[in-house]
Amino acid sequence: MNQFLPYAWFGGRCVPFAEATLSVATHALHYGTGAFGGMRALPNPTDPAEILLFRADRHTRRLSQSARLLLTELPEETIHDAIVTFLRANKPTCPVYLRPFVYTSDLGIAPRLHDIETDFLIYGLELGDYLAPEGVSCRISSWTRQEDRSLPLRGKISGAYITSSLAKTEAVKSGFDEALLLNSRGKVSEASGMNLFIVRDGVLITPGVDQDILEGITRASVLELAQAMGIPTLERPVDKSELFVADEVFLSGTAAKVTPVRRVETTDMPGNRPVMTAIRERLTAITEGRDSAYDHWVTRIRVDG
């Protein structure tokens, strides 16, 4: 059972979670005309009255840009202020995941984005490890990642996640933990809701933005950290066969954080993962406010006032 936070941001204010309800005729419910974000927040280990948000500015910017893809304006400042109010109302005492969502709130049956009402909400739930930190098994999905020419993949458009849902369930029902999707050109794109990295001969490699990936914020952070740590990085197309001969394979995402892949199809991956381990340890220190060099990646919010 998901442990939802007691208050949601709904209709421009904080209300009890159970009161944040929508009509069955809500446009976004029927057509997937919404865009969401995902943010992790946790109490400061040394000061529980302070909540730490990882790269809040990047998250609010991406959601604002996603809203523009739905032909609606949602300023970054509006998102930020609502998140602050939301966290102060809930005063979380453990790590939580926030789900801000902009959507067409109109009641109607015509699929459109013009002349339609939109709204914005936030809810949250307690969340520790989304995927097993010791590693996951992955299969190559029979479903193909969408192309940017058919969906605006630079945003987290809710309707696009039907493919992720199908791929994830196919993987789990066939005995795996997670799915890896190829794009229409047969190159590795991403997992069901995470970006993918491989390591070959000490080089950290990830599919580039031209491979129909979501421009993940954790992905960008991993690349920036690796470069600062002296790890060579490369963004390029990744072939399926490279997964089976890689020295390391891992996933990244807000919910997944940094998670190793221990098996792809029937091939076991090496258990020694020095590159991923170093990056994961550094990223954990940053999100917990223990790395002063990257303190600018952390937004600190007081909730005891």
Side-chain angles (χ1 to χ4, degrees), residues 139-155:
R139 67 160 286 176
I140 308 299
S141 180
S142 68
W143 297 95
T144 301
R145 172 68 171 163
Q146 304 100 318
E147 295 183 79
D148 191 73
R149 61 180 174 175
S150 64
L151 279 167
L153 298 182
R154 293 298 184 271

Side-chain angles (χ1 to χ4, degrees), residues 251-297:
L251 308 176
S252 72
T254 298
K257 296 183 282 190
V258 172
T259 300
V261 173
R262 56 180 176 79
R263 179 162 57 93
V264 178
E265 298 284 354
T266 58
T267 301
D268 291 327
M269 297 292 102
N272 185 34
R273 311 177 185 102
V275 172
M276 186 220 71
T277 300
I279 291 171
R280 180 162 70 173
E281 290 177 352
R282 187 75 183 271
L283 197 60
T284 299
I286 293 170
T287 58
E288 294 179 354
R290 296 186 284 106
D291 191 327
S292 59
Y294 286 89
D295 201 51
H296 60 287
W297 282 8

Side-chain angles (χ1 to χ4, degrees), residues 151-226:
L151 279 167
L153 298 182
R154 293 298 184 271
K156 291 175 71 71
I157 306 301
S158 60
Y161 280 78
I162 181 60
T163 305
S164 298
S165 302
L166 290 166
K168 176 75 171 185
T169 294
E170 177 186 61
V172 171
K173 285 188 173 293
S174 56
F176 295 84
D177 301 311
E178 187 52 64
L180 300 178
L181 291 96
L182 306 183
N183 61 28
S184 60
R185 299 177 295 283
K187 303 297 185 180
V188 179
S189 182
E190 60 181 32
S192 69
M194 313 104 205
N195 293 113
L196 175 131
F197 288 87
I198 66 172
V199 178
R200 297 195 69 190
D201 299 323
V203 179
L204 181 66
I205 303 165
T206 190
V209 295
D210 59 345
Q211 297 302 306
D212 295 320
I213 66 168
L214 175 73
E215 295 180 345
I217 293 168
T218 306
R219 172 188 178 276
S221 302
V222 167
L223 286 171
E224 188 172 338
L225 273 180

Side-chain angles (χ1 to χ4, degrees), residues 60-70 74 76 154-155:
T60 55
R61 184 182 313 134
R62 186 172 66 184
L63 184 60
S64 180
Q65 292 172 347
S66 296
R68 292 214 312 267
L69 294 171
L70 297 173
L74 181 63
E76 296 174 39
R154 293 298 184 271

